[in-house]
């Protein structure tokens, strides 16, 4: 477990997807919700360049999976962090923060207006990680997860409202949509 | 991106070919036994062939296959997703259900069933709770359509000869209990589906196409329960009295509980409810709890395999009996308590009840909150016997007391479009419809879970903001029609604008609730507290000014020469008492708002001081900017016309107060807590009538005490902090924000010294 062996890379052009199985079992162990292969395919196929892997030698030890798209027509260009997992024995070393930063930096390059995600209200570690990057809790989601736990929606604005509106050529963030929930059951 | 090569397209297209066998290719048509006569064709070969046309890593994606579908998809043979999966060594043949012989076991099963039922009430699915009971499953699996059919289908057993006590225990006593319980579930489901709640979030109504004895009447089931009770009571049942009592209490509770769950609003209005009966029987169930012997083997997760479900397998949820007992007891008490709203005693009292009842911790169950919505408004009737317009207009009158002419019943009788009365009536009719909808929605929203309440309020204020503007226009027209006399207010000649004033007041309250709930739901971080309390103080100050204005215009005058004066109905003329009541309501509301404003002001100074002293820290936040984070925080309010969001620079200066010394700031905070305390003390001394808390005095006073506790807690923190500054010991101070021991809207910093007390001379024993 020498820190020197740890490398980071984008999933990007992994046509052969050698890490897919490892990635699935890592997430399956780390997160409470069950995800079908379609969920992974959905993200990796469309936003493989927003997926980053942490490797110890050849072993996958951490991953962040994201997407970036318009939130509703003419809405904000919204980045979404769907899954973030670091193997238990590698936690507390800032790997997750590094992965998230890589993802956010890539989203910034791709002109994201904002980044959002959900996390279990009891997951103090994850909440702290995101809040130390600049995220704010925007709302609480009652019994959001299958296991009955509630979630916080965390939001990071990368552009102000006026910038977002200009960039989108529309009205940017929909103010009436103070709610704008993701169409996903989990993050 | 999907990059379909030609070879693949060909094969893929053939997959779509319907029934026609493909030329030159052998396709086997297999009919798998299934309820319908659908015929299936094996497409394995075709599919394999289609795949040949794909490169490794290439993905075919239908544009309509969204994340929603991806998340909803189940993977067969994945133990986390496939509820039908048999693990190695597992057997699919249903094992024989254990048939209990002892009455203690029946008591045990009944109590386990109650735990399952209450786990369902508490948010788990039927597939994780009631349906996991093998007896329930056995009873329902034959899809009974009559009471005769609703029975257990068990193999004959030596120990259960027909007519024997063991047989009766199972086939009469337990059966009656199960049938009763299933029907209770049906009633609860019907109630919850009738009102606005959030599926999966508050409650799971999914029954997996299993009928919950829909076709069997409550009366029939009650009869069955009675015959079971009679059997237990009779000489043929050879058990000691305490056992008999335990069984009877459970059966009788089931009967009464089912009866209560089946009542319609009319019966409740006629005071025929008997929740007290349920509560009494529950106490007997509690006392005889230890007589039962649990039979865990009659519950099994394997039942999920059979349920038509598109969700992954979910574990059995069966909360401990004590917890279930607490939930069911609270449900009965709460269901009884909400009947109080049927004793209508004014709109403000009604609103206070809704606010206090739904804010209770833990929050009343989804069932009760749903029933409260039904009591409030169903089938176009409010509170079982009133028109919603009546409550709405009373709410307006209780606070603003608009001009009498708006409420004259003669207005409605006028049919001449040119007639003033006709025109007034048109406008009031518009108001009742337009504001009535918003008003009903507000009550319903208050019945939602706390997270949804906050989220929905963010939508509601947009509607109330629009309503306010629309009402201002109507107010302007009405003031012309009734020839309202202008009044001098704050050096301006002005009019009452009663309707829009009332709307504005409610809008401001909702804006306050959004932020207060942000504290309650722990949406804000401690370093944001000062800013959020500043906004509360700003909204409250705006509301106080507005209330002063309302007070000035309570019961506006009309011109002496008003054409309406001659034909005015006596009954619409406000009495001196009406005017005094409206003034009292305004004064009470002013006092309450002033108390909250003082406490908020204290919190601004206190948390700003803590930030200055480095005791409340802002995290690093390398991304985004403070301006953008401010925009995010203000998002619910950005489109609201009045009061408007303050520019960030002004906001920052107003919260940080760089010109005020920290000690001075703490002194000001101390003054605010003292003032706040004075106001809260005054409020505590007021009667339930003057406080509009007739329907919920206990909850209302408890809430006041919590405000006071926060006030006192803040006062203590201010003293501790001042002392630390004076003695130059700030470095030794530790701060912990206490969200639990105080009012959920006013978390208080607990200030303590880092220096541990000296170690005791004798080390603690152990190890």
């Amino acid at each position: 477990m020498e820190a020197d062996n740890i490398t980071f890379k984008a999933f990007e052009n992994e046509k052969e997807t050698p890490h897919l199985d490892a990635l699935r079992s890592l997430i399956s162990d780390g997160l409470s919700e069950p995800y079908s292969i379609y969920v992974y395919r959905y993200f990796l196929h469309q936003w493989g360049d927003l997926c980053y892997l942490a490797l110890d030698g050849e072993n996958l030890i951490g991953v962040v999976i994201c997407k970036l798209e318009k939130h509703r027509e003419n809405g904000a260009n919204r980045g979404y962090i769907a899954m973030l997992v670091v193997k238990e024995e590698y936690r507390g070393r800032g790997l997750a923060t590094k992965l998230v930063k890589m993802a956010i930096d890539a989203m910034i390059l791709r002109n994201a207006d904002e980044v959002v995600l959900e996390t279990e209200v009891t997951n103090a570690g994850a909440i702290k990680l995101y809040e130390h990057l600049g995220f704010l809790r925007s709302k609480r989601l009652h019994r959001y997860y299958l296991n009955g736990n509630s979630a916080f929606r965390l939001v990071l604005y990368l552009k102000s409202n006026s910038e977002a509106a200009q960039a989108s050529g529309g009205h940017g963030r929909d103010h009436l949509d103070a709610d704008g929930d993701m169409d996903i059951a989990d993050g | 991106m999907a990059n379909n090569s030609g070879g693949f397209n060909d094969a893929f297209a053939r997959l779509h070919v319907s029934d026609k066998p493909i030329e030159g290719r052998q396709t086997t048509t297999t009919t798998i036994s299934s309820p319908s006569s659908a015929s299936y064709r094996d497409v394995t070969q075709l599919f394999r062939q289609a795949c040949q046309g794909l490169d490794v890593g290439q993905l075919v994606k239908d544009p309509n296959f969204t994340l929603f579908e991806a998340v909803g998809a189940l993977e067969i043979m994945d133990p986390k997703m496939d509820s039908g999966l048999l693990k190695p060594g597992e057997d699919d043949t249903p094992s024989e259900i254990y048939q209990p012989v002892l009455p203690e076991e029946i008591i045990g099963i009944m109590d386990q069933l109650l735990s399952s039922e209450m786990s369902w009430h508490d948010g788990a699915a039927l597939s994780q709770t009631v349906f996991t009971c093998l007896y329930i499953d056995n009873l329902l699996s034959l899809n009974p359509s009559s009471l005769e059919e609703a029975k257990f289908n068990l193999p004959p057993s030596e120990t259960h000869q027909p007519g024997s006590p063991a047989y009766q225990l199972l086939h009469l006593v337990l059966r009656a209990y199960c049938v009763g319980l299933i029907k209770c579930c049906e009633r609860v489901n019907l109630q919850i589906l009738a009102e606005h709640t959030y599926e999966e979030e508050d409650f799971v109504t999914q029954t997996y196409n299993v009928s919950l004895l829909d076709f069997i009447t409550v009366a029939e089931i009650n009869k069955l329960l009675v015959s079971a009770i009679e059997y237990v009571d009779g000489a043929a049942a050879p058990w000691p009295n305490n056992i008999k009592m335990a069984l009877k209490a459970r059966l009788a509770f089931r009967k009464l509980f089912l009866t209560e769950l089946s009542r319609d609003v009319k019966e409740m209005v006629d005071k025929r409810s008997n929740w007290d009966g349920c509560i009494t029987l529950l106490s007997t169930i509690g006392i005889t709890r230890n007589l039962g012997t649990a039979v865990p083997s009659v519950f099994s997760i394997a039942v999920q395999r059979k349920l038509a479900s598109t969700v992954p397998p979910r574990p059995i949820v069966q909360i401990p009996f004590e917890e279930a007992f607490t939930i069911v007891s609270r449900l009965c008490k709460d269901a009884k308590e909400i009947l109080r709203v049927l004793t209508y005693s004014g709109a403000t009292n009604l609103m206070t009840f809704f606010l206090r009842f739904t804010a209770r911790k833990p929050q009343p169950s989804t069932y009760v909150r749903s029933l409260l919505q039904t009591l409030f408004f169903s089938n176009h009737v409010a509170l079982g016997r009133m028109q919603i317009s009546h409550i709405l207009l009373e709410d307006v009158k209780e606070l603003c007391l608009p001009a009498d002419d708006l409420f004259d019943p003669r207005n409605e009788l006028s049919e001449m479009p040119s007639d003033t009365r006709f025109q007034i009536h048109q406008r009031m009719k518009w108001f009742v419809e337009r504001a009535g909808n918003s008003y009903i929605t507000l009550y319903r929203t208050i019945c939602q879970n706390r997270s949804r309440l906050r989220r929905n309020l963010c939508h509601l204020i947009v509607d109330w903001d629009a309503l306010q503007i629309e009402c201002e226009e109507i107010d302007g027209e009405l003031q012309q029609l009734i020839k309202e006399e202008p009044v001098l207010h704050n050096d301006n000649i002005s009019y009452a604008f009663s309707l829009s004033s009332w709307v504005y007041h409610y809008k401001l309250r909702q804006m306050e609730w959004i932020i207060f709930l942000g504290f309650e739901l722990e949406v804000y971080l401690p370093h944001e507290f000062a800013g959020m309390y500043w906004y509360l103080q700003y909204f409250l100050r705006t509301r106080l000014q507005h209330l002063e204005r309302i007070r000035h215009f309570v019961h506006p005058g009309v011109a002496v020469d008003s054409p309406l004066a001659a034909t005015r109905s006596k009954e619409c003329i406000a009495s001196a008492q009406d005017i005094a009541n409206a003034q009292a309501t305004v004064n009470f509301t002013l006092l309450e708002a002033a108390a909250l404003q003082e406490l908020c002001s204290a919190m601004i100074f206190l948390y700003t001081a803590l930030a200055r002293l480095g005791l409340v820290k802002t995290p690093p936040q390398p991304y985004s900017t403070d301006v953008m984070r401010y925009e995010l925080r203000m998002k619910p309010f950005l489109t609201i016309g009045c009061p408007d969001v303050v520019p960030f620079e002004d906001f920052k200066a107003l919260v940080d107060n760089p010109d005020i010394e920290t000690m001075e700031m703490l002194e000001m905070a101390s003054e605010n807590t003292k003032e706040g305390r004075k106001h809260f003390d005054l409020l505590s001394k007021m009667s339930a009538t003057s406080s509009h808390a007739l329907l919920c005095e206990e909850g209302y006073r408890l809430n006041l005490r919590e405000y006071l506790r926060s006030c006192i807690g803040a006062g203590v923190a201010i003293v501790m902090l001042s002392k630390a500054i004076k003695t130059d010991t700030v470095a030794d101070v530790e701060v912990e924000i206490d969200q639990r021991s105080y009012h959920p809207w006013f978390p208080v910093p607990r200030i303590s010294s880092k220096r541990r007390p000296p170690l005791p001379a004798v080390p603690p024993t152990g190890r």
Side-chain angles (χ1 to χ4, degrees), chain A:
Chain A
M1 261 187 23
E2 283 301 305
D4 299 344
N5 290 340
I6 296 177
T7 54
F8 295 87
K9 61 180 266 196
F11 187 86
E12 220 160 354
N13 294 319
E14 283 199 20
K15 287 263 189 256
E16 304 281 337
T17 61
H19 292 297
L20 189 61
D21 285 340
L23 193 149
R24 285 194 71 182
S25 67
L26 180 67
I27 290 171
S28 174
D29 293 345
L31 300 179
S32 67
E33 305 281 296
Y35 293 111
S36 73
I37 182 69
Y38 303 109
V39 178
Y40 297 100
R41 288 291 188 197
Y42 177 87
F43 284 106
L44 296 175
H45 179 66
Q46 300 181 83
W47 298 282
D49 55 342
L50 295 178
C51 168
Y52 288 89
L53 311 173
L55 301 156
D56 184 358
E58 281 300 301
N59 288 332
L60 185 73
I61 54 162
V63 64
V64 63
I65 293 179
C66 309
K67 69 170 182 165
L68 173 65
E69 61 185 346
K70 284 258 181 262
H71 178 59
R72 307 194 178 166
E73 212 181 329
N74 288 330
N77 198 21
R78 177 183 269 194
Y80 180 66
I81 299 176
M83 303 173 208
L84 168 69
V85 178
V86 168
K87 235 182 193 160
E88 200 160 357
E89 56 266 38
Y90 289 88
R91 287 182 198 164
R93 293 161 64 170
L95 300 184
T97 301
K98 170 97 177 160
L99 284 167
V100 171
K101 282 177 131 177
M102 291 171 86
I104 297 175
D105 291 340
M107 291 184 197
I108 292 172
L109 284 177
R110 289 182 51 173
N111 208 22
D113 295 325
E114 61 191 34
V115 185
V116 309
L117 61 104
E118 294 93 27
T119 177
E120 289 190 42
V121 294
T122 50
N123 192 346
I127 294 171
K128 191 174 161 193
L129 184 161
Y130 290 113
E131 285 175 345
H132 278 242
L133 290 173
F135 283 81
L136 288 185
R137 303 172 196 183
S138 75
K139 68 186 75 159
R140 197 184 181 102
L141 310 165
H142 184 64
R143 288 183 70 98
Y144 184 72
Y145 295 100
L146 278 177
N147 63 15
N149 277 351
S150 295
F152 281 124
R153 163 82 37 79
L154 296 174
V155 180
L156 179 79
Y157 275 4
L158 296 171
K159 286 184 195 158
S160 72
N161 284 320
S162 50
E163 288 168 336
Q166 253 174 14
S168 73
H171 43 73
R173 292 187 185 97
D174 187 353
H175 292 311
L176 295 178
D177 163 39
D179 222 356
D181 290 326
M182 299 298 299
D183 50 351
I184 182 171
D186 183 27

Side-chain angles (χ1 to χ4, degrees), chain B residues 438-439 460-468 502-503 506 510:
Chain B
S438 305
Y439 192 62
L460 256 51
I461 56 169
V462 179
D463 172 51
W464 284 75
D465 192 47
L467 177 63
Q468 184 188 344
W502 175 83
V503 172
Y506 257 116
Q510 293 174 64

Side-chain angles (χ1 to χ4, degrees), chain B residues 559-571:
Chain B
V560 196
D561 58 350
S562 161
L564 298 165
T567 56
R568 195 172 287 145
S569 320
K570 273 205 186 103
E571 58 194 281

Side-chain angles (χ1 to χ4, degrees), chain B residues 111-130:
Chain B
D111 288 353
Q112 283 169 278
L113 272 168
L114 184 71
S115 290
S116 290
E117 185 188 20
M118 290 304 129
S119 306
W120 178 56
H121 274 263
D122 203 33
L126 281 172
S127 65
Q128 300 174 278
T129 56
V130 175

Side-chain angles (χ1 to χ4, degrees), chain A residues 37 105 137 157 161 181, chain B residues 75 455 522 623-624 631 633:
Chain A
I37 182 69
D105 291 340
R137 303 172 196 183
Y157 275 4
N161 284 320
D181 290 326
Chain B
E75 237 173 296
R455 292 163 68 183
E522 297 175 27
Y623 289 100
S624 196
E631 262 185 28
R633 269 292 166 250

